[in-house]
């Protein structure tokens, strides 16, 4: 039970760091389910459907997903129609710049920023 409480506290820490991002993103919803625990919903661009839902039981996994969402937003804002791992050096620099505030607050997960560019 203590281990579960520690895991939940770490998940909540990641969620707190990304709270403003989650709140303003039209593509993400974060929920607590009494039956399942933490649930991350990824919403389609037309906002009429949930394209993916994931039960989150690991803070690192949540952080990787949210880093990917932020990176995807950078490419979307630049009207780029390619995957993150195909980002050119200038796009990678912009993605890293946008992720820096989160990575600074979550240094134990900083290494996930670099893995975004791996195929």
């Amino acid at each position: 039970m203590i281990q579960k409480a520690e895991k939940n506290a770490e998940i909540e820490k990641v969620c707190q760091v990304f709270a403003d991002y989650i709140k303003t993103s039209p593509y993400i919803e974060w929920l607590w389910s009494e039956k399942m625990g933490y649930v991350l919903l990824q919403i389609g661009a037309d906002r009429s459907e949930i394209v993916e839902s994931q039960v989150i039981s690991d803070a690192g996994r949540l952080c990787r997903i949210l880093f990917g969402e932020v990176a995807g937003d950078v490419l979307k804002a630049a009207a780029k129609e390619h995957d993150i791992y195909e980002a050119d050096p200038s796009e990678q620099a912009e993605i890293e710049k946008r992720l820096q505030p989160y990575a600074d607050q979550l240094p134990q997960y900083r290494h996930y920023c670099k893995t975004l560019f791996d195929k």
Side-chain angles (χ1 to χ4, degrees):
M1 193 67 166
I2 292 173
Q3 189 175 27
K4 184 175 182 177
E6 289 172 358
K7 282 182 111 176
N8 284 348
E10 193 63 22
I11 291 169
E12 289 171 13
K13 180 180 177 182
V14 171
C15 188
Q16 183 178 16
V17 168
F18 281 94
D20 288 339
Y21 176 78
I22 293 169
K23 184 177 181 179
T24 59
S25 174
Y27 307 110
I28 297 240
E29 185 66 78
W30 180 248
L31 306 169
W32 170 258
S33 165
E34 289 296 324
K35 295 177 183 173
M36 302 187 78
Y38 295 104
V39 180
L40 182 69
L41 304 176
Q42 292 169 297
I43 303 164
D46 62 2
R47 298 186 191 164
S48 65
E49 68 178 332
I50 296 166
V51 293
E52 189 169 354
S53 62
Q54 300 178 60
V55 175
I56 302 294
S57 58
D58 176 75
R61 182 168 169 239
L62 174 61
C63 200
R64 280 192 310 270
I65 292 167
L66 292 172
F67 281 162
E69 289 292 323
V70 171
D73 288 351
V74 170
L75 295 178
K76 193 174 292 169
K80 301 294 181 169
E81 299 282 331
H82 58 76
D83 290 324
I84 297 165
Y85 67 84
E86 296 174 319
D88 66 33
S90 65
E91 293 166 342
Q92 287 183 19
E94 182 61 27
I95 289 168
E96 289 171 350
K97 179 181 166 187
R98 289 276 299 275
L99 292 175
Q100 188 69 42
Y102 305 110
D104 286 348
Q105 295 176 71
L106 299 164
Q108 66 273 40
Y109 303 118
R110 181 183 306 277
H111 61 280
Y112 293 133
C113 294
K114 295 291 185 192
T115 63
L116 291 171
F117 307 116
D118 297 342
K119 187 170 182 180

